[in-house]
């Protein structure tokens, strides 16, 4: 049986393997710590990639800052950490598909690589804006320990320092860039090919963030920037008072993303339809008075409606709202029909666009039959196509969102939470009923609230993964006074309250709604350090290392670290069963079976093998005897030869 490595993915070795597939001659072997390892011969790689080499001193376009190379290394360096389940903080732990992860998001993103690689439809984050007051994650790129301590503001629950990045720092932009860059590099790999990332940011780092995203996601994959007009200018400033934020949008692969419906609902569509119904009811018929009053109502409220909504200003004889659009062919005249349409009143051929119709004769006949062609008062007017509002309740995501409201985070003490209105609009723009959304700057957990609310409204099954550093609440803050020691406690309570409110509001419609979440907490590895660096231990210590597992770890802790390494969803269904007196975990209906008890006999191994799991995992020290160890592979070869066996 092979041992599990129990570490996060080694991004360097992964990248070397990719280069090896393309340029095998550019990859060689070197000795590292006395063992052979793959390495890239960059001189050979340069020769393969260009017929003219760029001298290191030659000027070229690039976006850089101090310590950028270290931030790249930080993203690529594997870690020996784990995520420990916390049932007491969770809601519906055994059944929920949602996750709430506490810990530094850099390490969490590394741990999620194996399991969620290419499986996330949307990344939606609202990182620190670098206003001079925000605490940012300090990854200690270039500071001495004294400088680090002097600049530090507070610790999280794991002892990590948080640093207030003031402009007097001298590394104002550098520290922020070094914080965000490795996290975005790791996040990109989690996106599915049709996935996208949405990032809130203000004017302090908008330009720098855009350059970073172009480098990481590729300039071609930029989808644009959404301006959120908050309708509330900032206070006294020197210069322009900003009243908007930017939401940068990049996709993983634009060619694949082209097949995604990137839209938003016409916000006032139902209001417009109801208005027309009330006018028809008032006057008893569709007539010119109804049409005039409807147009007057639109003009009175035009500041509230989008341009796409205002275009729907007409009402047909059936009471349906519509707009007209040209049917002229956009390309060369000879490629489309020039057949004239017959006017329904004069019965004469109507004028035809000089370019002809954009549709074939068959399609034109279908439009006529569906009452989707608008004729003029006579045949001299070129007919147009009718777009009915009821058939076009969504529109392309526009570059501006107007919303001046705020969010109270379900009554919890949290400064400036994202409004759920904005989060819902963003999530729904590309996420269908079963997609997964991750927010690794979770804050007050608005994204989780938005996902549950959308699922309640449209019957969807979207899933969320929230990640938040347990940033300690200031003792003078309202949050601390209310009993919340860190931001994670606020976020989890927000989700609980939101779920309860949705359940109450939707009643039976919410009976199958997932309002739970499985809490996981970042911690050191379940394995003792000797598991990773046995050469550092002396003979005198070996008596204390008969067991390679940390003494405070539970079998469930071990299971989740195994799930991380084997790429099993952390929300997977977990059953605990007793087999021949031993506790056994069955994950995803026999996909993974694990037993971490001691004194595992041949009978237990045989019973597990007969279940034919994809993976079977045991502790290295758990087999009851040398005989069982010797028979182990033969038992599986007999009853389940395709099972992959691993040990801790």
């Amino acid at each position: 049986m092979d041992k599990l490595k129990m570490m996060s993915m080694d991004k360097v070795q992964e990248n070397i393997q990719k280069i090896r597939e393309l340029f095998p001659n550019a990859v060689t072997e070197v000795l590292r710590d006395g063992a052979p390892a793959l390495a890239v011969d960059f001189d050979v790689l340069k020769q393969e990639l260009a017929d003219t080499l760029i001298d290191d001193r030659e000027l070229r376009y690039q976006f850089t800052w101090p310590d950028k190379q270290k931030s790249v290394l930080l993203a690529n360096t594997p870690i020996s950490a784990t995520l420990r389940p916390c049932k007491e903080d969770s809601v519906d732990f055994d059944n929920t598909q949602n996750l709430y992860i506490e810990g530094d998001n850099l390490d969490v993103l590394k741990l999620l690589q194996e399991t969620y690689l290419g499986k996330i439809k949307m990344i939606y984050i609202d990182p620190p804006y670098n206003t001079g007051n925000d605490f940012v994650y300090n990854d200690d790129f270039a500071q001495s320990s004294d400088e680090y301590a002097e600049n530090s503001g507070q610790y999280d629950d794991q002892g990590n320092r948080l640093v207030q990045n003031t402009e007097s720092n001298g590394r104002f932009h550098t520290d922020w860039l070094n914080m965000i860059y490795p996290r975005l590099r790791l996040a990109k790999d989690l996106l599915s090919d049709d996935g996208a990332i949405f990032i809130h940011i203000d004017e302090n780092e908008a330009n720098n963030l855009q350059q970073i995203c172009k480098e990481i996601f590729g300039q071609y994959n930029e989808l644009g920037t959404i301006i959120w007009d908050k309708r509330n200018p900032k206070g006294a400033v020197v210069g322009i008072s900003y009243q908007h934020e930017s939401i940068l949008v990049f996709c993983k692969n634009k060619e694949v993303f082209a097949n995604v419906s990137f839209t938003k609902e016409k916000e006032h569509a139902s209001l417009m339809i109801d208005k027309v119904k009330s006018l028809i009811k008032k006057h008893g018929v569709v007539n010119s008075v109804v049409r005039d009053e409807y147009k007057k109502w639109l003009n009175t409220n035009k500041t509230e409606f989008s341009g796409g909504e205002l275009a729907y200003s007409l009402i047909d004889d059936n009471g349906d709202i519509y707009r007209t659009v040209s049917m002229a062919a956009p390309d060369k005249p000879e490629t489309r029909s020039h057949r004239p349409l017959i006017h329904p009143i004069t019965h004469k051929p109507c004028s035809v666009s000089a370019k002809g119709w954009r549709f074939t004769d068959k399609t034109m006949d279908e439009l006529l039959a569906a009452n989707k062609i608008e004729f003029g008062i006579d045949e001299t007017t070129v007919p147009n196509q009718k777009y009915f509002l009821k058939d076009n309740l969504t529109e392309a995501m526009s570059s501006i969102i107007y919303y001046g409201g705020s969010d109270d985070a379900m009554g919890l003490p949290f400064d400036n939470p994202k409004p759920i209105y904005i989060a819902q609009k963003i999530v729904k723009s590309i996420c269908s009923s079963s997609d997964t959304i991750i927010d690794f700057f979770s804050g007050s957990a608005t994204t989780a609230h938005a996902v549950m609310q959308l699922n309640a409204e449209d019957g969807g099954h979207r899933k969320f993964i929230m990640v938040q550093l347990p940033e300690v609440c200031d003792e003078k803050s309202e949050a601390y006074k209310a009993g919340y020691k860190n931001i994670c406690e606020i976020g989890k309570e927000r989700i609980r309250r939101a779920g309860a409110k949705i359940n109450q509001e939707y009643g039976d419609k919410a009976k199958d709604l997932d309002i739970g979440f499985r809490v996981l907490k970042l911690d050191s590895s379940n394995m003792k350090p000797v598991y990773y660096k046995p050469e550092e231990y002396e003979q005198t210590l070996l008596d204390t290392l008969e067991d390679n597992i940390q003494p405070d770890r539970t079998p469930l802790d071990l299971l989740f670290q195994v799930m991380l390494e084997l790429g099993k969803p952390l929300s997977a269904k977990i059953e605990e069963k007793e087999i021949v007196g031993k506790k056994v975990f069955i994950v995803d209906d026999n996909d993974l079976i694990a037993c971490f008890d001691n004194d595992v006999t041949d009978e237990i191994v045989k019973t597990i093998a007969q279940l034919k799991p994809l993976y079977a995992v045991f502790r290295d020290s758990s087999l009851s005897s040398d005989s069982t160890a010797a028979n182990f592979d033969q038992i599986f070869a007999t009853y389940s030869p395709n099972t992959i066996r691993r040990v801790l």
Side-chain angles (χ1 to χ4, degrees):
M1 291 183 291
D2 294 328
K3 266 186 175 289
L4 292 165
K5 57 183 174 58
M6 306 296 275
M7 296 186 75
S8 66
M9 183 184 294
D10 189 334
K11 300 293 290 184
V12 172
Q13 290 301 312
E14 181 190 19
N15 290 335
I16 290 175
Q17 289 291 354
K18 292 177 181 177
I19 292 174
R20 191 182 193 183
E21 292 175 8
L22 294 173
F23 308 107
N25 58 325
V27 176
T28 185
E29 286 189 1
V30 296
L31 284 178
R32 286 182 181 157
D33 298 325
L38 295 178
V40 176
D41 187 327
F42 289 100
D43 289 333
V44 174
L45 185 61
K46 284 181 180 180
Q47 294 173 17
E48 292 286 355
L49 295 176
D51 53 5
T52 303
L53 291 179
I54 299 176
D55 188 89
D56 290 340
R57 293 166 293 179
E58 184 177 340
L59 295 177
R60 84 290 302 266
Y61 175 78
Q62 58 184 174
F63 179 62
T64 190
W65 60 88
D67 301 324
K68 180 180 179 181
Q69 289 183 332
K70 291 184 179 179
S71 70
V72 174
L73 291 175
L74 186 67
N76 291 336
T77 304
I79 59 171
S80 56
T82 190
L83 297 176
R84 299 179 67 185
C86 184
K87 278 193 169 185
E88 59 270 23
D89 279 1
S90 304
V91 174
D92 198 16
F93 183 93
D94 293 330
N95 300 304
T96 184
Q97 294 290 298
N98 302 316
L99 301 176
Y100 188 98
I101 305 176
E102 299 184 29
D104 186 331
N105 53 18
L106 181 67
D107 288 346
V108 172
L109 288 169
K110 289 183 179 183
L111 293 175
L112 296 182
Q113 291 293 307
E114 198 85 50
T115 301
Y116 293 96
L117 189 72
K119 295 179 181 177
I120 303 298
K121 182 61 172 289
M122 173 184 284
I123 297 171
Y124 182 36
I125 58 174
D126 188 3
Y129 285 180
N130 207 15
T131 62
N133 298 312
D134 294 313
F135 284 93
V136 299
Y137 300 69
N138 191 297
D139 299 308
D140 195 16
F141 288 98
Q143 293 178 316
S144 68
S145 58
D146 290 340
E147 291 172 327
Y148 192 35
E150 182 179 348
N151 291 337
S152 296
Q154 55 181 302
Y155 293 89
D156 65 22
D157 285 353
Q158 297 169 267
N160 298 316
R161 290 184 184 272
L162 300 174
V163 176
Q164 197 170 41
N165 194 28
T166 60
E167 291 193 60
S168 59
N169 171 344
R171 293 169 51 88
F172 184 67
H173 293 294
T174 292
D175 285 346
W176 190 87
L177 291 168
N178 283 329
M179 179 278 294
I180 199 71
Y181 187 77
R183 290 163 173 83
L184 292 181
R185 281 179 64 101
L186 290 165
K188 176 194 174 184
D189 292 337
L190 299 182
L191 280 177
S192 59
D193 286 341
D194 62 348
I197 183 170
F198 293 72
I199 313 174
H200 283 255
I201 199 67
D202 73 355
E203 69 278 4
N204 288 289
E205 296 292 353
N207 291 335
N208 287 335
L209 181 60
Q210 185 178 37
Q211 292 300 319
I212 283 180
C213 288
K214 285 181 179 179
E215 178 176 318
I216 293 174
F217 295 93
Q219 183 169 338
Y220 175 75
N221 291 319
E222 183 176 15
L223 297 176
T225 299
I226 298 170
I227 301 300
W228 168 23
D229 183 354
K230 302 167 75 172
R231 301 187 175 185
N232 182 25
K234 292 183 178 180
V237 296
V238 177
I240 295 173
S241 178
Y242 285 86
Q243 73 173 39
H244 74 271
E245 289 183 10
S246 299
I247 304 174
L248 307 188
V249 189
F250 283 78
C251 63
K252 178 75 168 289
N253 185 323
K254 201 168 189 177
E255 292 182 0
V256 180
F257 188 84
N259 298 315
V260 174
S261 177
F262 187 16
T263 60
K264 66 174 183 177
E265 289 184 343
K266 290 186 174 70
E267 185 178 351
H268 301 97
S270 59
L271 181 64
M272 295 160 68
I273 292 171
D274 289 343
K275 180 63 179 179
V276 170
K277 287 181 179 178
S278 69
L279 288 173
I280 295 173
K281 183 177 181 180
K282 174 183 175 182
H283 296 285
V285 67
V286 178
N287 55 23
S288 60
V289 176
V290 169
R291 293 183 172 103
D292 289 343
E293 287 191 16
Y294 173 64
K295 286 183 179 180
K296 183 178 180 180
W297 176 76
L298 284 180
N299 289 329
T300 302
N301 297 281
K302 64 182 179 181
T303 57
E304 300 296 325
F305 294 164
S306 70
E309 291 169 338
L310 290 172
Y312 286 89
S313 60
L314 303 172
I315 306 172
D316 76 354
D317 292 339
N318 296 320
D320 290 323
I321 302 171
Y322 71 98
R323 61 176 294 190
T324 60
V325 294
S326 171
M327 294 189 294
D331 46 16
K332 296 180 180 179
E334 61 270 18
T335 63
R336 289 291 184 265
S337 169
H338 281 70
R339 186 194 76 181
L341 298 175
I342 304 301
H343 195 278
I345 297 175
T346 68
H347 304 293
K348 294 180 180 180
C350 294
S351 298
V352 179
S353 168
K355 294 182 178 181
W357 307 123
R358 68 168 60 236
F359 305 116
T360 63
D361 288 345
K362 179 182 178 182
T363 301
M364 295 292 282
D365 289 337
E366 291 172 351
L367 292 173
L368 278 168
N371 188 31
K372 291 186 176 181
I373 291 183
E374 173 90 333
F375 290 92
I377 57 174
D378 59 32
E379 71 279 359
T380 61
T381 302
V382 177
N384 288 314
Q385 185 180 358
K386 294 162 70 172
Y387 270 18
F388 287 105
L389 179 59
K390 64 182 182 181
D391 297 332
N392 297 279
L393 296 176
T394 60
E395 58 189 354
M397 177 62 78
S398 61
S399 61
I400 301 178
I401 294 177
Y402 297 97
Y403 184 70
S406 59
D407 196 287
D408 68 353
M410 297 298 297
L412 292 163
F414 192 91
D415 293 336
N416 304 314
K418 287 195 301 287
I420 188 173
Y421 170 87
I422 298 296
Q424 282 184 264
K425 191 173 289 290
I426 296 300
V427 171
K428 196 169 185 178
S429 68
I430 68 168
C431 290
S432 59
S433 63
S434 59
D435 290 326
T436 301
I437 300 96
I438 185 170
D439 180 349
F440 52 87
F441 289 98
S442 173
S444 67
T446 299
T447 303
H449 187 172
V451 169
M452 294 190 299
Q453 185 69 40
L454 284 174
N455 286 341
E457 292 175 2
D458 64 14
H461 300 280
R462 303 171 188 85
K463 300 171 284 292
F464 64 75
I465 301 175
M466 300 292 105
V467 183
Q468 177 59 46
L469 185 78
E471 182 181 331
V472 177
C473 296
D474 190 292
E475 292 186 7
K476 298 178 181 179
S477 68
E478 292 301 316
Y480 188 89
K481 294 175 183 177
Y484 300 101
K485 299 299 189 295
N486 61 58
I487 291 179
C488 291
E489 292 182 4
I490 299 174
K492 289 179 289 187
E493 181 61 20
R494 163 75 176 277
I495 303 174
R496 294 187 193 103
R497 292 187 184 185
K501 182 182 178 183
I502 291 169
N503 252 346
Q504 183 179 18
E505 290 178 348
Y506 286 84
D508 289 341
K509 292 182 179 179
K511 64 180 181 180
D512 296 324
L513 184 67
D514 186 356
I515 57 171
F517 56 96
R518 184 176 281 182
V519 175
L520 306 171
K521 296 186 178 184
L522 180 69
D523 207 334
S524 59
S525 174
N526 295 313
M527 318 306 291
K528 290 180 179 178
V530 69
Y531 187 89
Y532 303 103
K533 296 182 179 180
E535 71 277 2
E536 295 182 4
Y537 283 76
E538 300 176 359
Q539 183 69 32
T540 55
L541 296 177
L542 293 182
D543 290 342
T544 66
L545 299 174
E546 293 179 1
D547 191 346
N548 60 0
I549 307 297
Q550 299 270 26
D552 63 335
R553 303 307 164 93
T554 68
L556 195 61
D557 291 333
L558 297 179
L559 178 67
F560 270 83
Q561 189 161 2
V562 168
M563 289 167 64
L564 277 170
E565 177 154 344
L566 297 181
K568 299 299 153 192
L570 299 177
S571 57
K573 181 181 178 182
I574 301 171
E575 296 179 80
E576 292 185 25
K577 289 188 176 181
E578 188 173 293
I579 295 180
V580 197
K582 301 297 180 182
K583 179 190 288 186
V584 172
F585 294 103
I586 300 177
V587 180
D588 265 353
D589 299 324
N590 288 4
D591 198 37
L592 163 65
I593 297 181
C595 179
F596 305 119
D597 284 0
N598 290 320
D599 299 320
V600 173
T601 63
D602 285 12
E603 184 181 3
I604 298 169
V605 175
K606 177 182 176 182
T607 304
I608 291 175
Q610 287 175 330
L611 294 173
K612 301 185 184 305
L614 177 61
Y615 291 97
V617 180
F618 301 84
R619 288 174 65 169
D620 197 11
S621 60
S622 59
L623 300 182
S624 61
S625 65
D626 291 341
S627 173
T628 299
N631 294 335
F632 186 92
D633 281 328
Q634 186 57 48
I635 292 172
F636 269 96
T638 301
Y639 295 100
S640 185
N642 294 325
T643 294
I644 301 169
R645 286 92 75 186
R646 294 286 186 268
V647 295
L648 302 181

